[in-house]
Amino acid sequence: MGTAALGLLWAALLLPLLVSGLSTEEPTSGEAVASSSPGHCRRCCDSEDPMVLADAAHASSASPSALPYVLPEVRPYINITILKGDKGDRGLLGSPGKLGREGPRGDRGPQGIKGAKGQAGSPGSPCQTRFSAFSVGRKAALHSSEGFQPLLFDTVFVNPDGHFDLAAGQFVAPLRGLYFFSLNVHSWNFKETYVHVVHNDKAAVILYAQPSDRSIMQSQSVMLALAPGDRVWARLFKRERENAVYSDDIDTYITFSGHLIKPEDD
Protein backbone atom coordinates (compact mmCIF):
# COMPACT_ATOMS: atom_id res chain seq x y z
CA MET A 1 0.00 0.00 0.00
CA GLY A 2 2.81 2.34 0.81
CA THR A 3 4.70 1.47 -2.34
CA ALA A 4 1.66 2.16 -4.55
CA ALA A 5 1.12 5.57 -2.99
CA LEU A 6 4.76 6.47 -3.50
CA GLY A 7 4.57 5.54 -7.21
CA LEU A 8 1.54 7.74 -7.77
CA LEU A 9 3.36 10.62 -6.16
CA TRP A 10 6.36 10.32 -8.52
CA ALA A 11 4.06 10.05 -11.53
CA ALA A 12 2.33 13.29 -10.56
CA LEU A 13 5.67 15.09 -10.26
CA LEU A 14 7.20 13.85 -13.54
CA LEU A 15 4.14 14.37 -15.74
CA PRO A 16 4.47 18.15 -16.09
CA LEU A 17 8.11 17.80 -17.03
CA LEU A 18 7.33 15.33 -19.76
CA VAL A 19 4.55 17.49 -21.18
CA SER A 20 6.72 20.66 -21.27
CA GLY A 21 9.58 18.90 -23.05
CA LEU A 22 7.46 17.98 -26.07
CA SER A 23 7.66 20.28 -29.16
CA THR A 24 4.43 22.14 -29.77
CA GLU A 25 5.63 24.06 -32.97
CA GLU A 26 4.24 23.20 -36.43
CA PRO A 27 6.87 21.65 -38.72
CA THR A 28 8.06 23.83 -41.65
CA SER A 29 7.60 22.91 -45.25
CA GLY A 30 11.17 21.65 -45.38
CA GLU A 31 10.65 19.56 -42.34
CA ALA A 32 7.46 18.30 -43.83
CA VAL A 33 9.29 17.30 -46.98
CA ALA A 34 11.98 15.60 -44.93
CA SER A 35 9.45 13.82 -42.84
CA SER A 36 7.55 12.67 -45.92
CA SER A 37 10.11 10.13 -46.74
CA PRO A 38 8.94 6.54 -47.26
CA GLY A 39 7.98 4.93 -44.10
CA HIS A 40 6.85 8.11 -42.35
CA CYS A 41 3.46 9.56 -41.81
CA ARG A 42 2.13 12.40 -44.12
CA ARG A 43 -0.73 14.78 -43.62
CA CYS A 44 -3.56 14.74 -46.04
CA CYS A 45 -3.10 18.41 -46.96
CA ASP A 46 0.57 17.91 -47.99
CA SER A 47 1.57 17.91 -51.69
CA GLU A 48 1.77 14.59 -53.41
CA ASP A 49 5.09 15.37 -55.18
CA PRO A 50 8.14 15.85 -52.95
CA MET A 51 10.01 17.77 -55.75
CA VAL A 52 7.26 20.35 -55.93
CA LEU A 53 7.62 20.93 -52.25
CA ALA A 54 11.39 21.32 -52.57
CA ASP A 55 11.07 23.87 -55.42
CA ALA A 56 8.57 25.87 -53.42
CA ALA A 57 10.88 25.91 -50.44
CA HIS A 58 13.80 27.06 -52.64
CA ALA A 59 11.73 29.80 -54.23
CA SER A 60 10.62 31.15 -50.88
CA SER A 61 14.17 31.25 -49.58
CA ALA A 62 15.28 33.16 -52.72
CA SER A 63 12.67 35.93 -52.40
CA PRO A 64 13.95 39.54 -52.20
CA SER A 65 12.84 39.87 -48.63
CA ALA A 66 15.00 36.91 -47.68
CA LEU A 67 18.18 38.25 -49.43
CA PRO A 68 20.88 39.90 -47.24
CA TYR A 69 21.03 43.07 -49.57
CA VAL A 70 18.66 45.31 -51.57
CA LEU A 71 18.70 44.97 -55.34
CA PRO A 72 19.66 48.28 -57.17
CA GLU A 73 16.97 50.25 -58.96
CA VAL A 74 17.54 50.34 -62.71
CA ARG A 75 16.77 53.72 -64.40
CA PRO A 76 17.07 54.30 -68.13
CA TYR A 77 19.54 57.08 -69.39
CA ILE A 78 19.18 58.90 -72.68
CA ASN A 79 22.19 60.76 -74.19
CA ILE A 80 20.61 64.07 -75.27
CA THR A 81 23.72 65.15 -77.22
CA ILE A 82 22.92 62.67 -79.95
CA LEU A 83 19.53 64.36 -80.26
CA LYS A 84 21.00 68.00 -80.56
CA GLY A 85 20.17 69.76 -83.80
CA ASP A 86 22.16 72.18 -85.99
CA LYS A 87 23.29 75.62 -84.68
CA GLY A 88 20.69 78.35 -85.23
CA ASP A 89 21.09 81.84 -86.71
CA ARG A 90 22.54 84.75 -84.66
CA GLY A 91 19.89 86.64 -82.71
CA LEU A 92 19.16 90.37 -82.77
CA LEU A 93 21.50 92.79 -80.93
CA GLY A 94 20.16 93.60 -77.49
CA SER A 95 19.78 97.08 -76.00
CA PRO A 96 22.98 98.63 -74.56
CA GLY A 97 23.56 98.19 -70.87
CA LYS A 98 24.19 100.86 -68.24
CA LEU A 99 27.37 102.91 -68.45
CA GLY A 100 30.06 101.48 -66.19
CA ARG A 101 32.26 103.38 -63.76
CA GLU A 102 35.06 105.49 -65.19
CA GLY A 103 38.35 103.68 -65.16
CA PRO A 104 41.73 105.06 -64.11
CA ARG A 105 43.39 107.65 -66.32
CA GLY A 106 45.81 106.15 -68.77
CA ASP A 107 49.36 107.17 -69.50
CA ARG A 108 50.05 110.20 -71.62
CA GLY A 109 50.35 109.34 -75.27
CA PRO A 110 53.23 110.28 -77.56
CA GLN A 111 53.46 113.85 -78.80
CA GLY A 112 51.83 114.44 -82.14
CA ILE A 113 53.30 116.16 -85.13
CA LYS A 114 53.42 119.96 -85.20
CA GLY A 115 50.37 121.53 -86.77
CA ALA A 116 50.20 124.14 -89.45
CA LYS A 117 50.73 127.79 -88.56
CA GLY A 118 47.49 129.64 -87.91
CA GLN A 119 46.35 132.95 -89.27
CA ALA A 120 47.45 136.20 -87.65
CA GLY A 121 44.95 137.69 -85.24
CA SER A 122 43.50 141.16 -85.29
CA PRO A 123 45.62 143.98 -83.82
CA GLY A 124 45.16 144.45 -80.09
CA SER A 125 44.42 147.63 -78.21
CA PRO A 126 47.33 149.96 -77.38
CA CYS A 127 49.25 148.99 -74.30
CA GLN A 128 48.38 150.89 -71.16
CA THR A 129 51.10 153.05 -69.69
CA ARG A 130 52.72 151.12 -66.83
CA PHE A 131 55.41 153.62 -65.90
CA SER A 132 55.51 157.15 -64.52
CA ALA A 133 58.37 159.20 -63.10
CA PHE A 134 59.59 162.79 -62.82
CA SER A 135 62.32 164.83 -61.17
CA VAL A 136 62.47 168.66 -61.22
CA GLY A 137 64.52 171.39 -59.50
CA ARG A 138 64.62 175.10 -58.67
CA LYS A 139 67.66 177.38 -58.90
CA ALA A 140 66.03 180.52 -57.50
CA ALA A 141 65.44 181.30 -53.81
CA LEU A 142 61.91 181.99 -52.63
CA HIS A 143 60.38 184.08 -49.80
CA SER A 144 56.76 183.54 -48.86
CA SER A 145 54.56 186.53 -49.38
CA GLU A 146 51.11 185.13 -48.48
CA GLY A 147 49.49 182.34 -46.49
CA PHE A 148 49.97 179.58 -49.05
CA GLN A 149 52.34 179.92 -52.00
CA PRO A 150 52.98 177.18 -54.61
CA LEU A 151 56.60 176.13 -54.99
CA LEU A 152 57.35 176.31 -58.71
CA PHE A 153 60.30 174.72 -60.49
CA ASP A 154 62.44 175.88 -63.39
CA THR A 155 64.61 172.82 -64.11
CA VAL A 156 63.54 169.43 -65.47
CA PHE A 157 65.74 166.40 -64.81
CA VAL A 158 63.29 163.64 -65.75
CA ASN A 159 59.76 163.92 -67.16
CA PRO A 160 59.56 161.40 -70.04
CA ASP A 161 55.77 161.22 -70.35
CA GLY A 162 55.01 164.81 -69.31
CA HIS A 163 53.11 163.74 -66.16
CA PHE A 164 54.57 166.71 -64.27
CA ASP A 165 52.97 170.03 -65.23
CA LEU A 166 55.92 172.45 -64.99
CA ALA A 167 53.77 175.59 -65.35
CA ALA A 168 51.46 174.62 -62.47
CA GLY A 169 54.21 172.91 -60.45
CA GLN A 170 52.05 169.77 -60.05
CA PHE A 171 52.36 166.05 -60.80
CA VAL A 172 49.20 164.48 -62.31
CA ALA A 173 48.84 160.69 -61.71
CA PRO A 174 48.16 158.71 -64.93
CA LEU A 175 47.30 155.38 -63.19
CA ARG A 176 45.75 154.15 -59.99
CA GLY A 177 48.46 152.78 -57.73
CA LEU A 178 51.19 153.47 -55.20
CA TYR A 179 53.59 156.39 -55.75
CA PHE A 180 56.70 157.59 -53.93
CA PHE A 181 57.61 161.31 -53.59
CA SER A 182 60.68 163.09 -52.20
CA LEU A 183 61.19 166.87 -51.50
CA ASN A 184 64.56 168.45 -50.71
CA VAL A 185 65.13 172.14 -49.80
CA HIS A 186 67.86 174.36 -48.27
CA SER A 187 66.92 176.56 -45.31
CA TRP A 188 67.80 180.27 -45.04
CA ASN A 189 69.84 181.75 -42.21
CA PHE A 190 67.69 183.06 -39.37
CA LYS A 191 64.50 182.26 -41.28
CA GLU A 192 61.87 179.60 -40.80
CA THR A 193 61.37 176.87 -43.43
CA TYR A 194 57.82 175.51 -43.60
CA VAL A 195 56.84 173.52 -46.74
CA HIS A 196 53.87 171.15 -47.33
CA VAL A 197 53.70 168.19 -49.74
CA VAL A 198 50.07 168.44 -50.87
CA HIS A 199 47.77 165.67 -52.18
CA ASN A 200 45.14 167.48 -54.27
CA ASP A 201 44.15 170.26 -51.80
CA LYS A 202 45.13 168.58 -48.52
CA ALA A 203 48.57 168.66 -46.90
CA ALA A 204 49.98 165.14 -46.71
CA VAL A 205 53.33 165.76 -44.93
CA ILE A 206 55.33 168.81 -43.78
CA LEU A 207 58.99 169.74 -44.12
CA TYR A 208 60.03 172.10 -41.30
CA ALA A 209 63.27 173.75 -40.10
CA GLN A 210 63.51 176.25 -37.23
CA PRO A 211 65.41 179.56 -37.66
CA SER A 212 69.15 179.10 -37.22
CA ASP A 213 72.36 181.03 -37.77
CA ARG A 214 73.34 178.35 -40.29
CA SER A 215 71.48 177.13 -43.37
CA ILE A 216 71.06 173.35 -43.69
CA MET A 217 69.56 170.84 -46.16
CA GLN A 218 66.14 169.42 -45.21
CA SER A 219 64.26 166.53 -46.83
CA GLN A 220 60.89 164.84 -46.61
CA SER A 221 59.50 161.73 -48.38
CA VAL A 222 56.11 160.05 -48.52
CA MET A 223 54.29 157.20 -50.27
CA LEU A 224 50.74 157.92 -51.51
CA ALA A 225 47.94 155.86 -53.07
CA LEU A 226 46.67 157.89 -56.01
CA ALA A 227 43.80 157.61 -58.45
CA PRO A 228 44.06 158.72 -62.08
CA GLY A 229 44.00 162.54 -62.19
CA ASP A 230 45.14 163.07 -58.58
CA ARG A 231 47.62 165.96 -58.14
CA VAL A 232 50.69 166.15 -55.90
CA TRP A 233 52.60 169.44 -55.42
CA ALA A 234 54.57 171.54 -52.84
CA ARG A 235 53.72 174.89 -51.19
CA LEU A 236 55.19 177.34 -48.67
CA PHE A 237 53.17 178.23 -45.59
CA LYS A 238 53.69 181.66 -44.02
CA ARG A 239 53.00 181.97 -40.30
CA GLU A 240 54.10 184.65 -37.81
CA ARG A 241 57.73 184.36 -38.91
CA GLU A 242 59.19 184.86 -42.35
CA ASN A 243 59.30 181.67 -44.40
CA ALA A 244 61.99 181.15 -47.11
CA VAL A 245 64.02 178.53 -49.00
CA TYR A 246 67.52 179.19 -50.25
CA SER A 247 69.06 178.63 -53.70
CA ASP A 248 71.24 180.40 -56.29
CA ASP A 249 71.62 180.63 -60.03
CA ILE A 250 74.56 178.20 -60.14
CA ASP A 251 73.65 175.23 -57.97
CA THR A 252 70.29 173.49 -57.56
CA TYR A 253 69.33 173.29 -53.89
CA ILE A 254 65.61 172.54 -54.27
CA THR A 255 64.41 169.26 -55.89
CA PHE A 256 61.05 167.46 -56.13
CA SER A 257 60.87 163.85 -57.45
CA GLY A 258 58.34 161.03 -57.68
CA HIS A 259 57.61 157.73 -59.45
CA LEU A 260 55.05 154.92 -59.70
CA ILE A 261 55.88 151.93 -57.50
CA LYS A 262 53.04 149.52 -58.29
CA PRO A 263 49.85 149.86 -60.35
CA GLU A 264 46.74 148.70 -58.50
CA ASP A 265 45.77 146.06 -61.12
CA ASP A 266 49.10 144.14 -60.88
Side-chain angles (χ1 to χ4, degrees):
M1 197 64 185
T3 303
L6 185 59
L8 291 175
L9 180 60
W10 280 106
L13 293 175
L14 294 176
L15 181 60
L17 296 176
L18 293 175
V19 174
S20 62
L22 295 177
S23 176
T24 60
E25 295 181 357
E26 186 177 355
T28 64
S29 59
E31 291 174 351
V33 172
S35 61
S36 62
S37 58
H40 291 81
C41 295
R42 184 166 53 86
R43 291 179 296 179
C44 61
C45 60
D46 292 338
S47 175
E48 294 290 338
D49 191 356
M51 296 300 296
V52 173
L53 296 175
D55 291 339
H58 178 72
S60 64
S61 62
S63 63
S65 60
L67 294 177
Y69 57 88
V70 179
L71 293 177
E73 181 180 0
V74 179
R75 294 183 179 180
Y77 171 75
I78 300 176
N79 188 1
I80 301 179
T81 58
I82 64 177
L83 303 178
K84 185 177 181 181
D86 296 335
K87 185 176 181 180
D89 297 335
R90 184 184 181 92
L92 298 176
L93 182 65
S95 58
K98 295 181 178 180
L99 185 65
R101 298 177 62 182
E102 184 178 358
R105 185 171 182 175
D107 298 334
R108 184 174 182 177
Q111 184 176 1
I113 59 176
K114 186 177 181 179
K117 185 177 181 179
Q119 297 180 355
S122 58
S125 58
C127 296
Q128 187 179 16
T129 302
R130 311 293 294 176
F131 173 81
S132 179
F134 75 94
S135 181
V136 294
R138 181 182 174 96
K139 291 182 179 294
L142 180 63
H143 289 75
S144 61
S145 59
E146 54 187 15
F148 296 103
Q149 184 177 357
L151 181 59
L152 301 180
F153 300 87
D154 52 27
T155 304
V156 176
F157 298 110
V158 173
N159 190 24
D161 300 310
H163 297 156
F164 187 85
D165 186 354
L166 193 64
Q170 297 179 349
F171 168 76
V172 181
L175 299 173
R176 185 183 302 274
L178 299 179
Y179 293 80
F180 177 82
F181 298 94
S182 175
L183 175 64
N184 296 274
V185 300
H186 198 286
S187 64
W188 201 299
N189 294 350
F190 303 106
K191 295 182 180 181
E192 189 176 47
T193 303
Y194 206 128
V195 184
H196 286 147
V197 176
V198 183
H199 177 197
N200 291 331
D201 295 324
K202 182 179 179 180
V205 292
I206 186 172
L207 184 153
Y208 176 74
Q210 291 181 343
S212 174
D213 57 350
R214 294 180 300 173
S215 61
I216 58 176
M217 294 293 296
Q218 298 286 338
S219 66
Q220 179 64 281
S221 59
V222 64
M223 186 181 298
L224 298 175
L226 303 182
D230 281 1
R231 297 170 291 110
V232 180
W233 49 289
R235 71 184 182 188
L236 273 67
F237 176 44
K238 183 179 180 181
R239 301 198 300 178
E240 294 80 8
R241 299 177 183 179
E242 186 178 7
N243 187 7
V245 290
Y246 174 81
S247 189
D248 57 33
D249 296 336
I250 301 174
D251 296 321
T252 303
Y253 290 89
I254 304 169
T255 61
F256 184 39
S257 303
H259 65 276
L260 173 64
I261 296 176
K262 180 180 181 297
E264 187 179 73
D265 56 353
D266 277 1

